[in-house]
Amino acid sequence: RSLLLQTLPHEEYEIIVVNDGSTDNTKYALTLFQNPDKSVVHILNNDHNIGLPASLNKAIRSYSSQFVVRIDADDFVDFKYLEYLRYFLLSNSIYDAVSCDYYTVSENEKRESRKSSIEEPIGCGIMFRRDVLASLGLYNPDFLAREEEDLQQRFDAAGRKMLNIPAPLYRYRNHNEGITSNQAEMEKFKKKLDKDHER
């Protein structure tokens, strides 16, 4: 809903939703957003679960927009989110991506605290130039956790430039069901990250 309420006209952006083989009512719920007035929403249904990074790559490959931004299913954004980040990249050709600060929010969407994306980075809230992501090979599907850290390290190693806007335009939901709350998985992929990048 927060993406449908952006200040940008609908004809200037697309929302690509990947249903990664869900077994609940997600597929039906998504159809509620598909009607002539909301044609900006495009749904990709995976026959089976392929994981977050592979699903992100599928979404990115499905269209040819100049910019790409990731928003996780349980998060939401400020109504000027796309407008501000896009304007920055259009105005600053030397940068390959732009991030923003964020608020953590509770299950009932109450603000908890403001966070700096420089001090406490997250995988979302970053707008990339699509051709830059393509040149990096997109997300590595082998990283079922810490996929954003792997991408960031490849981004930095390639000499790409990102700037953070100190405006809290993203809303990051705190809960205990996400992959980041699974400490064993996070540690497993931390070791893989260190090994792959020889740290």
Side-chain angles (χ1 to χ4, degrees):
R1 290 189 296 270
S2 67
L3 289 173
L4 287 169
L5 296 173
Q6 292 295 295
T7 52
L8 283 182
H10 281 177
E11 60 268 19
E12 294 186 20
Y13 69 100
E14 292 180 277
I15 302 169
I16 312 296
V17 183
V18 182
N19 173 21
D20 191 19
S22 65
T23 56
D24 56 13
N25 291 322
T26 295
K27 191 171 183 178
Y28 167 74
L30 289 174
T31 64
L32 301 178
F33 291 95
Q34 283 192 308
N35 60 55
D37 296 329
K38 299 185 177 73
S39 58
V40 66
V41 179
H42 304 282
I43 299 170
L44 304 177
N45 289 298
N46 294 342
D47 294 332
H48 60 276
N49 184 279
I50 64 174
L52 175 60
S55 291
L56 288 169
N57 291 345
K58 183 176 181 178
I60 294 167
R61 291 187 181 110
S62 72
Y63 73 114
S64 57
S65 174
Q66 184 178 4
F67 306 121
V68 174
V69 64
R70 164 186 165 187
I71 299 172
D72 282 356
D74 53 352
D75 299 337
F76 57 104
V77 294
D78 185 276
F79 68 100
K80 287 186 175 289
Y81 176 75
L82 294 180
E83 180 184 354
Y84 284 176
L85 297 189
R86 186 182 74 157
Y87 181 78
F88 177 86
L89 288 180
L90 287 172
S91 305
N92 296 278
S93 60
I94 64 170
Y95 289 98
D96 304 297
V98 58
S99 63
C100 66
D101 288 349
Y102 60 97
Y103 286 115
T104 58
V105 297
S106 64
E107 287 283 7
N108 62 1
E109 301 183 0
K110 182 180 179 181
R111 288 184 189 175
E112 294 179 334
S113 60
R114 177 174 173 165
K115 303 290 185 180
S116 164
S117 283
I118 296 176
E119 297 172 2
E120 299 181 59
I122 55 176
C124 310
I126 304 170
M127 182 175 284
F128 292 93
R129 296 187 188 277
R130 186 179 184 277
D131 61 343
V132 169
L133 277 187
S135 73
L136 297 173
L138 305 182
Y139 288 90
N140 185 339
D142 293 336
F143 278 90
L144 298 179
R146 297 188 183 274
E147 74 292 331
E148 78 286 356
E149 294 178 50
D150 169 72
L151 176 64
Q152 186 66 55
Q153 290 200 32
R154 289 186 284 123
F155 182 95
D156 293 341
R160 297 298 186 169
K161 297 179 67 176
M162 179 188 302
L163 188 79
N164 183 72
I165 296 176
L169 302 174
Y170 198 88
R171 308 291 184 262
Y172 181 81
R173 194 185 306 269
N174 272 328
H175 58 73
N176 296 319
E177 297 176 2
I179 184 68
T180 53
S181 65
N182 187 328
Q183 293 303 315
E185 283 292 287
M186 294 298 287
E187 183 58 30
K188 171 185 172 182
F189 286 102
K190 176 64 167 66
K191 291 178 180 177
K192 177 174 172 54
L193 189 70
D194 291 345
K195 180 180 179 182
D196 285 9
H197 295 277
E198 299 180 350
R199 290 176 59 189

